[in-house]
Amino acid sequence: MTMNSPSADRNGDIEQTSDVNWKLIAAGVVAVLAFIFILQNRNQGTISFLFFDVTIGVWLALLITFVLGLVVGLLVAHVIRRRKKSDAEA
């Protein structure tokens, strides 16, 4: 997973070949987009839930919502996999 790796041609000269790590590039693009998102959504908003009202940055509220959705999705996927596995064993 190196970015550049040397290789020899027919004359024995060493050339640099490029092995592109697309996951690293994608992570960098996502990081830049997240930074831009945070900069553009620095304003405050009031979030109401049950009996609580809290003033929080819009970007932080959306980040918390995203993380909670991710956790719930992973838990549901885990439960489905366990059920399929137990059904296959029975």
Side-chain angles (χ1 to χ4, degrees):
M1 291 195 185
T2 59
M3 292 301 287
N4 290 325
S5 59
S7 65
D9 63 5
R10 281 191 258 167
N11 298 330
D13 296 333
I14 294 178
E15 296 178 356
Q16 291 292 325
T17 58
S18 177
D19 294 331
V20 178
N21 188 342
W22 293 108
K23 290 181 183 179
L24 186 59
I25 291 172
V29 169
V30 168
V32 168
L33 291 175
F35 183 69
I36 292 169
F37 177 80
I38 290 170
L39 288 178
Q40 290 181 338
N41 292 287
R42 289 182 294 163
N43 50 337
Q44 298 286 313
T46 302
I47 306 295
S48 299
F49 181 70
L50 297 176
F51 305 108
F52 303 101
D53 291 330
V54 65
T55 301
I56 191 171
V58 173
W59 70 273
L60 187 57
L62 289 172
L63 178 65
I64 291 169
T65 303
F66 172 77
V67 169
L68 288 174
L70 182 66
V71 168
V72 169
L74 290 172
L75 288 174
V76 168
H78 179 71
V79 168
I80 290 171
R81 274 190 304 251
R82 289 188 72 191
R83 282 189 182 171
K84 284 184 179 180
K85 184 178 177 183
S86 67
D87 289 345
E89 292 174 355

